[in-house]
Amino acid sequence: MSNTELLFKTPADAEWWRSSVIYQIYPRSFADGNGDGMGDLLGVTQRLPKLAELGIDAIWFSPFMKSPQKDAGYDVADYCDIDPLFGDLNDFDALVAEAKRLGIRIIVDLVPNHTSSEHKLFKAALAAAPGSPEREMYIFRDGKGENGELPPNNWPSVFGGNAWTRITEADGTPGQWYLHIFDSSQPDLNWKNPKVLDFFDDVLRFWLDRGAAGFRVDVAHGLIKREGMPDIEVADTTMGGAKPESEMTLEELEIANPYWGQSGGHEIIRRWRRILNEYDDRVMAAEAWVMPLSRMANYVRADEYHQTFNFGYLETPWDRDKLEKVVTESLVEFGKVGAPSTWVLSNHDVIRHATRMAYPLDKLPKQGDGIGPNNPQPDEAMGQRIARAASTFMLGLPGGAYIYQGEELGLPEHTTLEGKYREDPTYFRTNGERVGRDGCRVTLPWEAGVNESNGFSSTGKSWLPQPDSYRKYSRDLQEGVAGSTLELYKRLLKVRKDLGLGAGDFRWAPEYQDKNTLAYINSGVLVLSNFGPDAVVVPAGEVLATTQHDLLVEGELEHDQTVWIKL
Ligand code: GLC
């Protein structure tokens, strides 16, 4: 049972990022300014006032750099230019200027683990000889077997299949293999080569000089591969041989996952932090999928990243006890290194939480695999209810909060997208067995029924078609409508800002909870969630925000609802 001690206290004069609400834009799908069906920077700039109304502090953009788009821009061919799909550098400058006017900072996605195979560095590596400095920028190895016909080790690609591809040398003979933890169009860089570090120093400075508030760093836990790149040991689960990851030591975790979370990568982060420190108040947030949270916290020590995405929280289902445990663990573990926790429920890689949180846990596909027409279909109404309750619980917590575009509309996952529209490499590398992440990347509905894409573009075009259900979630139908998810989010962000909850002090409130409810107090605001099944009486105090629109009338909080009360 929780006690009433203060579990987390925000330091005085906390920097902006310790309490910020950062909104993720997936540029392909936010808003289309030129009518070609693909979102772009112009579209974002036009819609920026809507985000200012929502009450966010910053935007993190998924990549918009030049790219052949084999992994929707996470395959960068030129780090210092904008892909023509999204506009050009002038559009970026205009966006930053307009955002600044509205008090919004712009965070750029940095993709350092790999380049596109179209990057000039990789082309040079292919043209050069084995062992050359050009090859040393990447991870090339001779194959195993008599004629080098077998991959150098047994590492699998995250997107399915093998993590190695064999090249044909300049003279036409079968040659070396290169490593790609993701798609074969995404060769991994060699971060043990100082030239790679130098190259990225310039990339960082390029965007910082251009007014970016900082970086979200892609695959931050993957840059350093284990020395010698040993095979992954296939776990022997017979006779209780293989331990679950939760019971492994750090060393065992590093051996079990030789390309994730190796302890060697931290000098790189410190070097980047020093660069950021040359500027005013810029930030870096790590995408580091390493568990447990005590290990993830190593990425946010005082001279490393400012923030790291709390994937432990993201992966926690709508379950009272599990939520209590992960919040405590987050505040304690990040607190130990002096960092704020972050809170996040959705992004462009996972099933949207309005679908995920109401989906049967035993049938939920693995992170990144997506739900397709052949999977059981979700309960949409239950998803709406739980997602609103979960977001309202989350946005009262102290620390940095992330919102993924569309969650403020309550958008569910597109779970019936036909194969012919899919673009995620996972779908192709697994022959459709894993449908992948397109279902959370569908374009946003802005104005219901104005055209086929509900105003995402002026022409109705949309690179991924919206499901029929998106029409009713359109922004204009929710704007100014009491009880809508959009108005709920606006209210939550306003109260959060007005009362300084992001920079608040947290304690559990056992005096307000029972075995079906969870309650905490942040800076004098009680946040109470009911996990059901019965309604509970709402404690006295001013209701600041609630997922249950009629709460004031009823005076009771129903199941899967959350309320904020000023005590
Ligand atoms: C990260 C991105 C994901 C991308 C992968 C490879 O996990 O969030 O979208 O596919 O890295 O860059």
Side-chain angles (χ1 to χ4, degrees):
M1 221 22 217
S2 48
N3 62 35
T4 55
E5 267 168 51
L6 207 57
L7 200 60
F8 181 81
K9 195 170 165 43
T10 304
D13 300 326
E15 303 94 326
W16 70 272
W17 47 267
R18 288 184 181 269
S19 59
S20 55
V21 175
I22 301 182
Y23 184 93
Q24 179 188 356
I25 286 189
Y26 195 66
R28 298 177 141 241
S29 303
F30 182 76
D32 175 9
N34 67 2
D36 65 356
M38 179 62 68
D40 48 39
L41 297 184
L42 177 64
V44 176
T45 306
Q46 290 167 345
R47 302 282 193 181
L48 268 184
K50 295 290 178 196
L51 292 184
E53 270 170 35
L54 180 60
I56 57 155
D57 301 304
I59 296 171
W60 146 40
F61 273 88
S62 280
F64 41 50
M65 294 83 190
K66 226 172 217 166
S67 159
Q69 304 287 323
K70 292 282 197 290
D71 183 21
Y74 281 96
D75 48 320
V76 179
D78 184 346
Y79 287 88
C80 298
D81 205 353
I82 307 280
D83 195 279
L85 267 186
F86 304 123
D88 58 25
L89 284 167
N90 292 328
D91 294 322
F92 178 78
D93 294 341
L95 171 78
V96 171
E98 174 65 356
K100 191 166 182 203
R101 194 181 68 76
L102 295 167
I104 296 173
R105 298 170 203 253
I106 302 295
I107 294 170
V108 168
D109 213 314
L110 183 74
V111 186
N113 180 66
H114 44 264
T115 68
S116 158
S117 51
E118 299 288 312
H119 196 285
K120 64 176 190 292
L121 287 174
F122 191 69
K123 288 188 176 163
L126 289 182
S132 60
E134 289 84 354
R135 289 247 166 127
E136 275 306 297
M137 295 295 279
Y138 292 87
I139 303 179
F140 280 88
R141 292 289 181 277
D142 293 334
K144 284 187 181 158
E146 221 168 295
N147 300 305
E149 71 281 10
L150 299 172
N153 69 22
N154 69 355
W155 294 1
S157 149
V158 173
F159 294 154
N162 197 305
W164 294 91
T165 291
R166 192 172 197 189
I167 65 160
T168 303
E169 299 293 351
D171 64 2
T173 56
Q176 287 194 299
W177 298 71
Y178 68 89
L179 178 71
H180 51 86
I181 295 300
F182 295 91
D183 187 51
S184 55
S185 63
Q186 295 165 296
D188 281 50
L189 284 158
N190 173 14
W191 277 93
K192 293 185 178 162
N193 180 349
K195 293 217 174 81
V196 171
L197 280 97
D198 292 343
F199 176 85
F200 272 90
D201 288 355
D202 293 343
V203 174
L204 261 70
R205 288 207 166 86
F206 176 85
W207 291 107
L208 294 171
D209 290 340
R210 245 190 148 95
F215 304 97
R216 173 266 187 187
V217 179
D218 190 60
V219 197
H221 59 312
L223 307 189
I224 294 294
K225 279 70 183 175
R226 194 163 182 78
E227 200 52 48
M229 301 207 293
D231 277 352
I232 292 180
E233 289 168 27
V234 180
D236 174 14
T237 47
T238 54
M239 312 291 287
K243 279 191 204 172
E245 289 208 344
S246 57
E247 287 169 23
M248 288 184 187
T249 62
L250 200 61
E251 174 74 7
E252 285 168 338
L253 280 167
E254 289 188 17
I255 292 172
N257 304 286
Y259 51 78
W260 296 143
Q262 301 297 310
S263 30
H266 294 276
E267 317 84 70
I268 304 168
I269 311 171
R270 294 194 187 105
R271 174 171 170 140
W272 290 345
R273 179 71 183 247
R274 285 194 296 275
I275 294 179
L276 264 77
N277 289 347
E278 292 168 17
Y279 294 77
D280 41 19
D281 50 2
R282 315 298 171 98
V283 294
M284 299 191 292
E287 184 211 20
W289 289 86
V290 291
M291 291 297 168
L293 291 174
S294 54
R295 189 171 168 221
M296 192 187 274
N298 286 334
Y299 287 78
V300 283
R301 290 175 289 199
D303 55 352
E304 301 196 31
Y305 287 104
H306 299 79
Q307 292 189 339
T308 181
F309 291 90
N310 188 342
F311 294 121
Y313 186 79
L314 183 148
E315 291 190 319
T316 302
W318 182 241
D319 174 305
R320 185 214 168 281
D321 295 351
K322 291 193 172 119
L323 209 49
E324 181 180 28
K325 184 164 177 286
V326 75
V327 170
T328 300
E329 194 181 332
S330 305
L331 293 172
V332 168
E333 294 302 337
F334 292 119
K336 275 186 198 162
V337 294
S341 183
T342 60
W343 313 103
V344 58
L345 289 169
S346 282
N347 66 30
H348 66 294
D349 289 329
V350 303
I351 296 163
R352 282 183 173 276
H353 71 279
T355 296
R356 191 183 72 232
M357 296 192 108
Y359 204 77
L361 261 185
D362 57 335
K363 303 213 167 60
L364 189 66
K366 269 192 15 233
Q367 189 280 111
D369 286 359
I371 297 173
N374 297 333
N375 295 93
Q377 291 302 301
D379 179 332
E380 191 174 329
M382 178 159 58
Q384 289 301 305
R385 208 170 56 232
I386 296 182
R388 285 160 53 98
S391 298
T392 306
F393 181 88
M394 177 184 103
L395 289 168
L397 294 166
Y402 279 84
I403 294 176
Y404 176 49
Q405 66 176 37
E407 69 168 81
E408 76 280 19
L409 306 176
L411 283 191
E413 183 88 355
H414 189 342
T415 55
T416 53
L417 188 67
E418 289 170 67
K420 65 177 183 201
Y421 296 115
R422 294 205 176 263
E423 294 209 5
D424 186 345
T426 309
Y427 182 75
F428 300 102
R429 293 182 65 88
T430 63
N431 293 320
E433 200 183 302
R434 293 159 54 188
V435 294
R437 302 160 294 175
D438 294 305
C440 64
R441 299 174 172 180
V442 176
T443 57
L444 297 193
W446 289 88
E447 287 101 22
V450 293
N451 56 32
E452 236 185 299
S453 65
N454 294 303
F456 161 71
S457 61
S458 57
T459 53
K461 285 191 188 161
S462 176
W463 70 283
L464 286 176
Q466 295 173 6
D468 294 342
S469 73
Y470 270 30
R471 180 181 173 142
K472 68 172 181 284
Y473 293 100
S474 295
R475 198 177 202 282
D476 66 333
L477 297 185
Q478 301 196 36
E479 203 133 41
V481 175
S484 69
T485 301
L486 177 63
E487 290 303 324
L488 172 69
Y489 267 71
K490 283 189 196 165
R491 176 76 188 150
L492 295 171
L493 296 194
K494 179 166 180 354
V495 176
R496 181 183 162 93
K497 185 154 285 169
D498 289 351
L499 301 185
L501 302 189
D505 303 335
F506 176 100
R507 75 165 176 87
W508 289 114
E511 68 275 32
Y512 288 106
Q513 70 189 25
D514 62 23
K515 66 179 188 353
N516 288 324
T517 56
L518 191 57
Y520 63 83
I521 296 174
N522 178 358
S523 311
V525 175
L526 172 72
V527 175
L528 173 70
S529 289
N530 183 5
F531 295 76
D534 303 320
V536 296
V537 175
V538 174
E542 180 196 347
V543 174
L544 294 170
T546 168
T547 53
Q548 191 180 318
H549 183 47
D550 55 5
L551 178 70
L552 282 178
V553 184
E554 302 296 329
E556 285 198 332
L557 187 68
E558 289 171 5
H559 68 113
D560 303 330
Q561 305 283 356
T562 301
V563 64
W564 289 11
I565 294 172
K566 179 105 187 101
L567 294 175

